[in-house]
Structure formats: structure tokens, C-alpha cells
Amino acid sequence: MKTFASPFLLLLLLSLCINDSSNGQFLINGLYQNYNAFQTTPDHELLAGRNRLRLKLNNSLDVGGLYAESDLIHRYTESENIEIQLREIYLDWYFDNLDLRIGKQTIIWGRADGGFITDILSPVDLREFLTQSPSDLRFGITAINAIHYFGANSLQLIVSPTFQKDLLPAQESPWFPVQTIDSPFPLQFTDDPEQPTAKNVQAAAKYSLRSPNNIDLDLSLLYWTHPMPAYALTINLINFPGGPSVTLQETYQPSPMAGISLAWSAHPNWLIKSESLFVYERLFTFLPIPVNRLEQALDDLPTALQVLQEFEFRDDGYLLTKPWLQNMLGIQTTVQKTTISAQAYLETIFNYEDRILSQQIFPYATLFATRSFLRDRLQATTAGRVNFYAKDYWIQLQATYDLADDLEFTLGTNLFGGNSVSPFYGHFTFNQFRENSFLFSRFAIYF
């Protein structure tokens, strides 16, 4: 059994002990969910099978309230198949023009539908990738969150005592995000070994302007750690009793950041959205040997030994920092009762060097469409993303039917594909998951 605990659990127990029905109201609700995903490729393996029981506790008081949310997850595709995950637990205090929240909480920023730009404060659980619903991906980060209101506008300040990285798939998982390489030398991946210290304290501020001209504008400043890692490279020439080996280690670095998010209702049926994040010091992996030379070394041991000898051995893990900018421009409209949302993204590395594995300019696009039928009891959704350089893609089709007010059933599919790329390609690609395309069913009871 895996358990994710929190010292804020004490607050919940204390609240339950002192709860007085005359001063507040205690509510409990949640859901039970069963999910199964089967490969569409010939093996038709069960990629994900789980039962999820979610409990939500809400104790409202005169001055605020206490909220807790926890999941018990039974995965019947794994040996260690039971996990208790504390998703959120926090206290709220409400003042005349100030809301204060302390504890483990989910913080959602930004307006992008198909990616995370300024919405990087709360970590996400990617261990089972797209076999999880978007609502199940996020979990809380421990923070102090204060919002001061100035009429329709507001200023939000967030301080978190430690960095919480995204939960990534293990190396043996079919969803591991780094392409595996058939190398003549053993290749190992390791987690970030750094322990939480005072230097891990993060802070973010956002000013939200609500204009009477149908414009919503958010300006943000952050000292934060971007949740997606770079991989530090270590070459072990002397590795007794085995031979040479290579280790890739997850590495993160905090950085000053600035963000902007805009939504403009240009017409009753047209919404224009834009979002940008500038990271002053983003980590990137580089290699001192040309990629074509490295590819030759994968198939030939003598060439591999020669390439290792040509490597410039460094103590920086072959990592360097560069300014990085991520932009999104999107549009949303409704046509024939179908809501359509399309976004174009562009990532740019400044002061670029050719030895960096990532592309200097990396464009991609997303498209979402949803429509309701049968008096809103049936909802059909289409989603997708295409990365233009590698021409790889993801497509999702799903339909959810409300069997009753508290009972729903979903059927769908996720398809992956695209062109094959070099194992030294510096970006995430859906092509590596083409054998993981799957059909899924989800059954949920809400209480």
C-alpha cells in the first residue's frame, strides 16, 4: 500500500472534534469510479484498471471553513495495488476584502485548454498519463494563499514552503515520457535526489483585472520551479563489476518567471484567449557530440566506445540554463450547438546553441469540440493535439451518458501516432506511445 500523508490531517481531526452544528455545517460527499483501458493494438492488454473511491469533507464555519479530499485507489494491474492519496486539506478564513487559505490545496491559473503555461503551481499525476481524467490529474500543494479584492479586481499572493514535482511514470511503465534507447551500454533513469530545504521556498503573485470592456487580464510574477524536468547525464566509464553505463537524472531548478493571461469576449459568440510565460532560467540538456554520430554509436560497440572517449567530461550533467518563452493564442466559439476551442502554441529558447537537444522553436496546436444531445444527458467530446515538427499527434473521442442524476457512464478512445524520430529528439512525442492507443470505459457514482 502506498500512502501520501500530510501534517494538516491533524487540523481535520481537530475540526471534527470541536464541530458545533449551531456554528457550522459538516458535509460529506464523493464518488466511486471504475475505469478500464485496453490497447487497440494486437496484444489488447489491459493498460489501466482501477477502482477509485473519493471522499470530500466540508466543514463550514462562521469565519470560513475546512475542506479535505482524499482518494483510495485500487489498481488491479499492479502488484502494489492500493494507494491512499490525500489530494487536498486546507482551512479558509474570510475577511471583508480578503480570503485566506492555508494547507494542501489545488491552485489553478491560466486559460489554456490543451497545455500548462502559467498553470504550473499545482502538481499533476502523470503516472498513468491520459488514462486519467483531467479532473483527476491535479493534486494539492502545501501553501499559504491570500486574495485581496479591490472591487472586481484582485491581488493574489501564494507562498509554498517546498517544491512538489509532478508524479512521472516509472522507467518500466508504458507511459514513461523519455524514449528508450537500445544502447550497447546500460541506461538508467533516477529521480531528483534533492531534499526539501529553505531554498525550495516558492512564491507567486497575480493581479487580476476585470475590465467592463469584456476583457479579463491576469499579470503574474513568480519565483517557482517549472514542474517538467531536464535530465542530467552521467557517464560511468569505470563501473565495477559491469562495464560502462549511462545515468540520466531528473533535475529541476527554480527561476524568476513572468506571465500574462488574457480573455476577450470580442463577440457574444467569440472568445479570444492568449497566455504567455517567460522563464528566465530554464534547464536544457545538451550533448557535445553531433546527434548523427551518437546514432551510429547505438548500433556498433566499437563506435560507442570511441564516442565515449570523445566526450568532454563535465560536472554540470550536460545541463545549461537559457531564457525560455511559451505562448498560446486561442479562439472559442459555438457553431450548430457545438462548442469549439482551438489553440496554437509556440515555445522559444533564447540565446540558443546548436548543441541543445531541444528545438529552438517548437510549435504545436490543440483542438477541442463538445456537444450535448438528448436534453444534455449525452455529451460527446473530441480532443486532439499535433506537434508540427515530428508530425506526431493525439486524438481523443469520448461520449458520456447520464444514466441518472448521480450515475454516469463513459466510453471513449485515445489514439497516438506520428513519424518516428531520433532517440535523441529533445521533445516529448506522441509517436512513442503509438502501441498504447486504447479504448476505455468509465463508470461513476456520485454521492
Side-chain angles (χ1 to χ4, degrees):
M1 174 182 288
K2 301 177 184 178
T3 304
F4 296 86
S6 168
F8 285 93
L9 185 60
L10 179 61
L11 298 177
L12 175 61
L13 298 176
L14 179 62
S15 175
L16 296 178
C17 292
I18 66 175
N19 180 57
D20 184 350
S21 60
S22 64
N23 296 325
Q25 184 178 13
F26 179 77
L27 299 174
I28 180 170
N29 54 24
L31 67 88
Y32 162 76
Q33 180 190 97
N34 175 262
Y35 183 95
N36 295 280
F38 290 89
Q39 284 178 299
T40 59
T41 48
D43 290 339
H44 302 296
E45 293 184 1
L46 180 64
L47 284 177
R50 60 177 173 268
N51 295 300
R52 183 190 302 269
L53 178 64
R54 176 170 298 165
L55 294 179
K56 302 178 182 180
L57 308 177
N58 196 335
N59 190 5
S60 61
L61 304 171
D62 293 339
V63 296
L66 184 143
Y67 178 83
E69 180 178 318
S70 183
D71 281 359
L72 188 151
I73 306 171
H74 168 225
R75 296 185 177 91
Y76 39 88
T77 55
E78 299 181 7
S79 54
E80 295 183 11
N81 55 8
I82 297 179
E83 174 184 326
I84 300 175
Q85 186 180 55
L86 185 62
R87 297 171 60 84
E88 293 187 279
I89 181 164
Y90 56 79
L91 286 169
D92 279 332
W93 282 274
Y94 303 134
F95 303 91
D96 290 340
N97 297 307
L98 177 69
D99 292 346
L100 183 63
R101 177 170 292 177
I102 301 176
K104 188 172 185 177
Q105 56 193 283
T106 300
I107 303 170
I108 301 175
W109 283 8
R111 308 180 192 278
D113 294 327
F116 301 94
I117 299 181
T118 59
D119 189 15
I120 59 172
L121 303 185
S122 292
V124 293
D125 185 352
L126 300 174
R127 290 173 296 173
E128 295 181 277
F129 198 40
L130 293 177
T131 68
Q132 296 198 97
S133 303
S135 59
D136 297 329
L137 291 179
R138 287 189 180 90
F139 59 97
I141 185 171
T142 303
I144 299 174
N145 182 2
I147 304 178
H148 193 285
Y149 296 95
F150 308 91
N153 306 325
S154 64
L155 176 64
Q156 183 176 15
L157 299 175
I158 297 169
V159 177
S160 178
T162 186
F163 166 61
Q164 171 63 63
K165 69 174 186 175
D166 292 346
L167 299 181
L168 300 177
Q171 183 177 355
E172 62 274 11
S173 168
W175 302 111
F176 188 59
V178 180
Q179 293 191 84
T180 57
I181 301 175
D182 294 327
S183 169
F185 305 128
L187 186 64
Q188 298 177 331
F189 291 84
T190 60
D191 295 336
D192 182 11
E194 186 171 347
Q195 299 298 317
T197 64
K199 72 176 184 178
N200 297 128
V201 174
Q202 305 178 111
K206 181 179 72 170
Y207 183 77
S208 299
L209 176 66
R210 301 298 174 251
S211 168
N213 299 319
N214 298 321
I215 297 177
D216 293 343
L217 177 66
D218 295 333
L219 302 173
S220 55
L221 292 174
L222 309 87
Y223 182 77
W224 212 263
T225 301
H226 201 279
M228 295 308 294
Y231 285 88
L233 178 66
T234 302
I235 300 175
N236 309 300
L237 287 179
I238 302 176
N239 188 25
F240 185 83
S245 65
V246 178
T247 301
L248 293 173
Q249 184 179 84
E250 287 180 25
T251 308
Y252 304 85
Q253 177 172 299
S255 171
M257 305 181 188
I260 182 171
S261 176
L262 172 71
W264 174 36
S265 297
H267 182 272
N269 196 34
W270 292 92
L271 178 65
I272 308 297
K273 298 188 290 185
S274 178
E275 189 173 356
S276 299
L277 179 69
F278 176 75
V279 180
Y280 181 64
E281 293 181 323
R282 179 78 188 271
L283 282 172
F284 295 96
T285 305
F286 71 91
L287 291 175
I289 303 294
V291 169
N292 59 350
R293 179 88 168 131
L294 293 171
E295 291 173 345
Q296 294 172 2
L298 296 179
D299 301 322
D300 183 61
L301 181 58
T303 303
L305 291 172
Q306 185 177 0
V307 166
L308 284 179
Q309 295 174 355
E310 295 174 3
F311 253 82
E312 173 192 356
F313 289 96
R314 309 169 62 99
D315 58 6
D316 58 6
Y318 300 91
L319 295 175
L320 47 77
T321 59
K322 296 290 182 180
W324 178 78
L325 178 65
Q326 185 178 17
N327 294 304
M328 180 276 293
L329 179 63
I331 189 168
Q332 179 177 311
T333 188
T334 300
V335 179
Q336 297 295 318
K337 299 182 181 181
T338 301
T339 300
I340 301 173
S341 176
Q343 301 88 33
Y345 295 80
L346 184 66
E347 300 178 9
T348 305
I349 304 173
F350 296 94
N351 302 329
Y352 188 75
E353 301 179 27
D354 290 338
R355 57 182 179 165
I356 296 175
L357 289 181
S358 302
Q359 302 270 357
Q360 181 179 11
I361 297 176
F362 185 70
Y364 54 97
T366 61
L367 179 67
F368 297 83
T370 181
R371 182 173 179 175
S372 297
F373 302 88
L374 304 178
R375 298 181 180 180
D376 296 335
R377 297 189 71 87
L378 175 64
Q379 186 175 51
T381 302
T382 301
R385 168 173 161 172
V386 58
N387 298 322
F388 293 112
Y389 279 164
K391 298 180 180 179
D392 59 296
Y393 60 87
W394 155 67
I395 299 173
Q396 181 186 83
L397 305 172
Q398 71 172 26
T400 300
Y401 184 72
D402 294 335
L403 301 170
D405 290 342
D406 301 321
L407 187 65
E408 69 177 28
F409 181 72
T410 302
L411 281 175
T413 184
N414 283 271
L415 305 175
F416 309 99
N419 294 343
S420 298
V421 296
S422 166
F424 300 100
Y425 185 64
H427 293 272
F428 168 85
T429 170
F430 290 110
N431 175 66
Q432 70 190 84
F433 301 133
R434 61 188 180 277
E435 298 298 323
N436 291 354
S437 294
F438 63 91
L439 298 169
F440 69 90
S441 66
R442 183 171 61 242
F443 176 78
I445 303 174
Y446 298 88
F447 56 86

